[in-house]
Amino acid sequence: MDRVRTVRKAVIPVAGNGTRFLPATKAVPKEMLTIVDRPVVQYAVDEARQAGIEHIVFVTSRNKQVIEDHFDDAPELISSLSRSGKSAQISELEAMLPAAGSVSFTRQQAPLGLGHAVWCARDLIGDEPFALLLPDMVSFGARGCMAGLMDLYHEVGGNVVGVEQCAPEEASKYGIVGKGETVRHGFSVTEMVEKPAAGKAPSNYYLNGRYILQPEIFSILAHQTRGAGNEIQLTDGMLTLSQSQSFHAHPYEGRTFDCGSKQGFIEANVAFALARADIGDIVFESVRDMVLSHESRIRAA
C-alpha cells in the first residue's frame, strides 16, 4: 500500500433547496432546521471535527447566507448574554465557533447534482484526499461515523465509504455496495450499484452519506456525463474511480437518520432528545403517553 496521506479537509454540500420540507424551507435553509436545539448542519461539522478534520469547505448556493452567519462570531449576541449572566450559553457558542480561517464557502450556481457540488470544491481541496459528509444524514451513536472511516482509511488507504445494513427487501431504495474481503475496520468493496432492481442487490449494505475520497475524483467529475435525474451523480464518478483505485467500506455501529425526509427528521429529534440528560426523561414520558393514546384510539376505531 502507498503512503496514506493525511485527510485534513472535509466537504459539506449545503446547496439543496429542501423542497421536501416546504413551506418551512421557503426562507430557512433545510440545513438550519433544528434537531432539538442544534441545526442539522452543526451535527455534520461536529462529526468532522471529532474525526480530526482541520478545514471544512461548504458548497452553498443562493439564500444560504444564514449558514455562514451561524459559523461566524456574534459579538452583539455574546454581549447581550454576558449582560444577562448566561455564561453557560456563551461557553456553548464559543465551543461551536470554528477557528479563524478553518472554514471556506464556495457556490454551486446551478443544481446539477451531488457530483457537481463536490466538483465545485476542487480548488479549495487541491491535490489531497478529503472527507465528504452529507449533512442530511445525521449520525447517532457514541462515536461519529466519520471517525470510523478514518480508522479504516489509516489501515488501507485509497477510498473509504460509510455503510449500514438495511432490510434486504429495501435494498432497491439505496446505493448498495458489494462485500469483499474483511479487514479490521470494514471490508473491501467489490461493486457499487445505485438503487438495484428488486432481488438483484449484491448485499444489503447501503451508502450512508460518509466518504473519504482521493483527489482524482475531481478530474473524473469534470467530464462525468449526467446520470439519474439528469444530474452529475457522485456514485457514477466513484464507479469510474474504482477501476483504478481501491474502495473499502466501514459499517457504522450507530444509526444514521435521513433528515432530508420528514420521518427521519422526526425520528432524529426524538432519539437525540431521549439521549439528553436535561430533557430525556421528560421527553420519554411525553412520547410514551402519546404512543399509548394513539394505540388506544386505534383500538377504539
Side-chain angles (χ1 to χ4, degrees):
M1 182 183 71
D2 296 334
R3 180 179 64 88
V4 176
R5 293 187 291 171
T6 301
V7 178
R8 302 185 307 111
K9 299 178 182 179
V11 173
I12 299 182
V14 292
N17 291 323
T19 54
R20 288 187 287 178
F21 276 91
L22 286 170
T25 51
K26 179 182 178 182
V28 178
K30 64 174 182 175
E31 298 84 8
M32 292 301 294
L33 299 178
T34 57
I35 300 175
V36 188
D37 55 4
R38 301 165 75 85
V40 167
V41 68
Q42 183 70 53
Y43 290 89
V45 170
D46 292 345
E47 182 182 342
R49 292 169 69 179
Q50 181 193 60
I53 293 298
E54 301 170 8
H55 191 107
I56 293 174
V57 177
F58 292 95
V59 181
T60 185
S61 61
R62 291 181 293 277
N63 303 319
K64 300 277 186 156
Q65 184 67 33
V66 66
I67 297 176
E68 189 168 350
D69 291 341
H70 176 71
F71 292 103
D72 196 1
D73 195 9
E76 295 85 359
L77 175 60
I78 297 298
S79 178
S80 175
L81 292 172
S82 179
R83 289 194 300 270
S84 301
K86 297 180 178 180
S87 57
Q89 290 175 305
I90 294 174
S91 297
E92 184 176 11
L93 291 173
E94 290 177 342
M96 290 168 49
L97 188 66
S102 66
V103 295
S104 300
F105 293 81
T106 189
R107 286 283 185 98
Q108 182 187 25
Q109 287 87 354
L112 298 178
L114 176 59
H116 181 261
V118 172
W119 179 76
C120 288
R122 64 198 183 281
D123 289 338
L124 291 169
I125 296 298
D127 185 26
E128 57 183 285
F130 63 98
L132 170 64
L133 300 92
L134 307 189
D136 285 351
M137 307 298 286
V138 177
S139 297
F140 178 75
R143 193 171 185 236
C145 183
M146 183 53 67
L149 266 69
M150 285 289 196
D151 290 341
L152 178 55
Y153 173 74
H154 290 144
E155 179 184 355
V156 300
N159 303 273
V160 178
V161 297
V163 296
E164 290 177 51
Q165 288 183 284
C166 64
E169 61 272 17
E170 296 193 351
S172 59
K173 299 179 182 179
Y174 303 100
I176 300 293
V177 303
K179 186 177 186 296
E181 179 184 1
T182 299
V183 294
R184 182 181 175 190
H185 297 288
F187 57 85
S188 64
V189 172
T190 58
E191 57 183 309
M192 288 179 279
V193 185
E194 186 66 33
K195 296 182 179 179
K200 301 294 184 181
S203 77
N204 66 330
Y205 283 99
Y206 70 93
L207 297 166
N208 71 354
R210 298 294 182 266
Y211 312 82
I212 294 175
L213 298 171
Q214 295 297 319
E216 287 77 13
I217 191 69
F218 292 124
S219 60
I220 293 172
L221 293 173
H223 303 96
Q224 183 68 55
T225 57
R226 298 192 187 192
N230 198 33
E231 296 180 338
I232 298 172
Q233 297 293 337
L234 178 65
T235 302
D236 293 340
M238 292 194 301
L239 283 168
T240 301
L241 184 59
S242 68
Q243 297 173 13
S244 59
Q245 294 185 3
S246 67
F247 273 77
H248 286 78
H250 168 70
Y252 182 44
E253 295 180 355
R255 178 179 178 183
T256 297
F257 293 101
D258 179 4
C259 292
S261 72
K262 295 173 184 177
Q263 176 183 334
F265 180 73
I266 293 169
E267 290 174 344
N269 266 281
V270 173
F272 278 89
L274 290 174
R276 291 268 295 256
D278 56 341
I279 60 174
D281 291 343
I282 297 173
V283 171
F284 173 79
E285 292 175 4
S286 297
V287 171
R288 180 194 59 195
D289 291 345
M290 284 187 284
V291 170
L292 292 174
S293 177
H294 179 70
E295 290 177 342
S296 178
R297 288 196 301 269
I298 291 176
R299 287 194 297 268

